[in-house]
Amino acid sequence: MSADVTTPPARSLGAGLEPFLERLDAQGEALAARTEAWSAINSGSYELAGLTRMRAPLLDAVAALPGEVAEVELQPSQRVRPDGEVIDIEHGASIRVRVRPHAPVQVALTGHYDTVFPAAHPFQKPWRDGAMLRGPGTADMKGGIAVMLAALEAFEAAPGDKLVGYEVLLSPDEEVGSMASAPLLAELGARAQVGMTYEPALADGALVDARKGSGNFSLIVKGRAAHVGRAFSDGRSAVIAAAEAALALNALNAQREGVTFNVGAIDGGSAVNVVPDRAVLRFNIRSPDAEGAAWGEAQARRIAEAAHARDGISAHLHGGITRPPKPLNVQQRTIVSWTRAAGEALGLDLKFQSSGGVCEGNNLAAAGCPNIDTLGPCGGGLHSDQEFALLSSFSERAKLSFLMLAGLNSGAFDVRSLGK
């Protein structure tokens, strides 16, 4: 396949679809209001009761689509406690909608309804602030789900045969790494030719075209407790072993371009008159490519083995690279060109940039599904009490997704060029 990317004429994409674009224009306030109502429901990743409450209005919303709706229970994921014990974590269910699963063109549309804000966090209620809608999940990504569903409803209402089938997957665990929903994302990505994910675009309207991969790790260290006054030399400090491993990890930064090692925390220790016998070192590795990710993980295992070899110390590494890198390959360049063309048909000059952040787009790409993963409203302040979505961008981005679906349906965006 050639590295050259052919972009269809932008003027042809919206031909005959003007009434549906105008209808989406008129829905801007309704989309913002829907997002505002959803934002008022706390659905922190570990808040099972809140996630259950959030599913109710989402199930009502997806019922407008002409497909089979299902709630898919997820298997527990694992988490390392501060004392080093590995425990199971329960998650809410994913919502899945399948429409025309046998159509010749298959699209994966993904989103998440969890947020980073637990019920105890003070940031709980949305409000309007001039051109912005502020609140938990307004941009990341309850607003994105509202945009997605509006585009799909417009697509279904448009005349003509539908050659595009699609699957919507809304997950409850993206903000904690999609560990439980990862198998569903992998299956979906393997089935679909194109992916559309609804993380927010940047506040200036830019989208993301490539992402680093990421892995979270916990090094569980066990030593030997001892009284520091009576038997200090008998002790083996798990905290010191963890700290030396942390320094070794940090020393790897700048050894390979783009690969970073971030030590986030060391849990361990108790009274200062006791040699600590337990510690957990938590760290993250990010890489722009698969080779760098493999190198980084191998270095982490080498350091874990060195810690385990210390006298009186045992060390076990938990975790791995769970969001593989999403490089800007030929397939990605093609779908970026399609998105730009849809933007041009709306008078938008869309910009793209790479990101060190990760999302479900990484999972889809790893399954062989090229995707655009910032199709939600424009916004910022993510993961903080400054989160906002720009009110004017709700209808704008719904129109963008609608035109992309229309282009896939008409053949203006030819999925055969993706080689899948």
Side-chain angles (χ1 to χ4, degrees):
M1 182 176 174
S2 169
D4 294 330
V5 175
T6 301
T7 304
R11 63 182 179 275
S12 66
L13 291 174
L17 298 175
E18 293 84 358
F20 300 94
L21 294 171
E22 292 171 3
R23 187 180 306 172
L24 285 171
D25 260 332
Q27 289 179 14
E29 170 54 31
L31 296 181
R34 168 175 271 184
T35 301
E36 194 169 10
W38 289 350
S39 173
I41 302 172
N42 177 274
S43 55
S45 301
Y46 297 125
E47 303 288 350
L48 292 180
L51 291 166
T52 299
R53 286 193 297 272
M54 187 65 229
R55 282 200 301 279
L58 289 176
L59 288 167
D60 286 343
V62 300
L65 301 176
E68 175 192 352
V69 179
E71 292 183 78
V72 184
E73 296 295 332
L74 303 180
Q75 293 298 311
S77 65
Q78 291 187 318
R79 186 181 185 186
V80 179
R81 293 192 319 199
D83 64 1
E85 295 301 313
V86 180
I87 61 172
D88 284 342
I89 298 294
E90 300 291 334
H91 298 279
S94 287
I95 295 173
R96 184 171 62 198
V97 187
R98 289 174 170 164
V99 177
R100 293 182 293 276
H102 303 296
V105 178
Q106 290 296 314
V107 181
L109 297 103
T110 75
H112 65 88
Y113 64 94
D114 62 323
T115 73
V116 300
F117 304 103
H121 196 284
F123 188 53
Q124 295 293 331
K125 295 182 179 179
W127 74 98
R128 306 289 180 105
D129 182 11
M132 297 179 289
L133 174 60
R134 294 190 179 274
T138 51
D140 186 19
M141 65 177 300
K142 294 176 181 181
I145 296 173
V147 165
M148 174 208 294
L149 296 181
L152 288 172
E153 289 182 35
F155 176 68
E156 293 296 340
D161 294 335
K162 297 293 189 295
L163 303 179
V164 167
Y166 54 88
E167 185 171 326
V168 175
L169 184 67
L170 306 179
S171 299
D173 65 333
E174 193 279 337
E175 294 293 9
V176 290
S178 300
M179 298 299 293
S181 58
L184 296 179
L185 290 164
E187 294 170 7
L188 175 57
R191 286 193 294 269
Q193 293 139 311
V194 176
M196 301 170 70
T197 294
Y198 287 80
E199 293 292 335
L202 279 69
D204 64 1
L207 294 90
V208 169
D209 53 10
R211 291 184 182 272
K212 284 187 174 185
S214 174
N216 294 325
F217 297 80
S218 296
L219 181 62
I220 304 168
V221 184
K222 295 182 181 180
R224 185 186 305 148
H227 190 288
V228 300
R230 293 189 175 190
F232 179 73
S233 62
D234 292 341
R236 297 293 184 269
S237 174
V239 168
I240 293 299
E244 291 186 354
L247 291 172
L249 286 165
N250 189 61
L252 294 169
N253 284 307
Q255 289 195 19
R256 190 177 181 115
E257 185 175 359
V259 182
T260 59
F261 298 78
N262 181 65
V263 174
I266 297 179
D267 300 317
S270 56
V272 295
N273 63 348
V274 178
V275 177
D277 66 344
R278 292 191 178 225
V280 178
L281 169 63
R282 303 181 193 273
F283 61 96
N284 173 269
I285 301 175
R286 301 207 176 205
S287 171
D289 52 49
E291 295 77 14
W295 175 81
E297 190 161 6
Q299 293 298 312
R301 297 200 178 281
R302 176 183 62 80
I303 290 169
E305 290 168 3
H308 186 73
R310 292 169 61 100
D311 176 49
I313 296 292
S314 67
H316 169 68
L317 189 63
H318 185 275
I321 301 294
T322 54
R323 301 259 203 209
K326 177 184 168 182
L328 186 57
N329 57 21
V330 174
Q331 288 182 317
Q332 277 301 123
R333 292 182 189 278
T334 298
I335 191 172
V336 165
S337 76
W338 296 347
T339 311
R340 279 203 177 102
E344 289 173 10
L346 297 171
L348 302 174
D349 181 16
L350 295 177
K351 306 298 183 186
F352 284 80
Q353 63 185 57
S354 62
S355 173
V358 293
C359 72
E360 293 170 339
N362 292 75
N363 299 68
L364 293 180
C369 181
N371 62 88
I372 299 297
D373 58 32
T374 40
L375 289 168
C378 305
L382 309 184
H383 297 185
S384 79
D385 60 6
Q386 300 301 307
E387 181 177 354
F388 70 91
L390 295 177
L391 291 164
S392 62
S393 67
F394 281 94
S395 59
E396 176 187 276
R397 298 302 155 126
K399 291 189 295 182
L400 179 67
S401 284
F402 169 68
L403 284 187
M404 291 179 69
L405 291 165
L408 290 167
N409 195 66
S410 69
F413 303 147
D414 187 356
V415 295
R416 293 173 298 180
S417 67
L418 299 174
K420 183 178 179 184

